[in-house]
Amino acid sequence: DVQLVESGGGLVQPGESLSLSCTAVGFTSKNCDIEWYRQVTGMQREWVSSIRRSGTIYHADSVKGRFTISRDKARDTVYLQMNNLKPEDTAMYSCKTAGPYCSNRYLDLWGQGTQVTVS
């Protein structure tokens, strides 16, 4: 079984924090870039953050300064630390594999998503 599995979502009040996890199951993601996206039902999916194989990180302007992506290669897990959450951050958050060094067999895999609600 080859999967990405997200966890850590929940219901929080504005200004509070959550940490999301994206774990590779059935393969190693160490050669893959990992990207976080979010989507509200009925709206276009939005890119949030990426971490490259090299460790270089990127964040969307809408979350820059509040969210931080990081990686624990030993645990085959990528994290998204989300601070100072706002109601507009409410969405289903999903991770996916990407990048030129990610084997085609494991490229463009999506997790099932974890819901974040800020109210």
Side-chain angles (χ1 to χ4, degrees):
D1 185 51
V2 175
Q3 292 180 278
L4 291 179
V5 179
E6 302 99 334
S7 63
L11 173 63
V12 298
Q13 296 180 348
E16 295 182 345
S17 299
L18 284 172
S19 181
L20 307 184
S21 298
C22 171
T23 299
V25 177
F27 75 107
T28 177
S29 63
K30 67 178 182 180
N31 291 324
C32 301
D33 303 347
I34 299 293
E35 302 175 339
W36 283 100
Y37 289 80
R38 65 188 182 187
Q39 187 173 32
V40 178
T41 301
M43 298 185 64
Q44 187 173 351
R45 195 185 309 273
E46 176 189 16
W47 170 78
V48 175
S49 186
S50 299
I51 185 164
R52 294 179 64 88
R53 177 181 180 267
S54 64
T56 303
I57 61 176
Y58 304 89
H59 301 90
D61 288 344
S62 58
V63 306
K64 208 178 189 84
R66 299 187 298 119
F67 292 11
T68 304
I69 192 170
S70 63
R71 192 170 206 157
D72 186 339
K73 290 184 177 181
R75 300 181 191 274
D76 228 330
T77 297
V78 170
Y79 303 97
L80 185 67
Q81 178 65 45
M82 305 186 297
N83 297 326
N84 192 24
L85 283 161
K86 302 177 178 181
E88 53 262 43
D89 296 318
T90 295
M92 181 71 72
Y93 284 73
S94 301
C95 59
K96 72 177 289 289
T97 56
Y101 295 96
C102 189
S103 297
N104 287 342
R105 174 176 167 85
Y106 308 125
L107 189 62
D108 295 325
L109 295 177
W110 287 87
Q112 81 291 339
T114 185
Q115 177 67 36
V116 172
T117 302
V118 186
S119 65

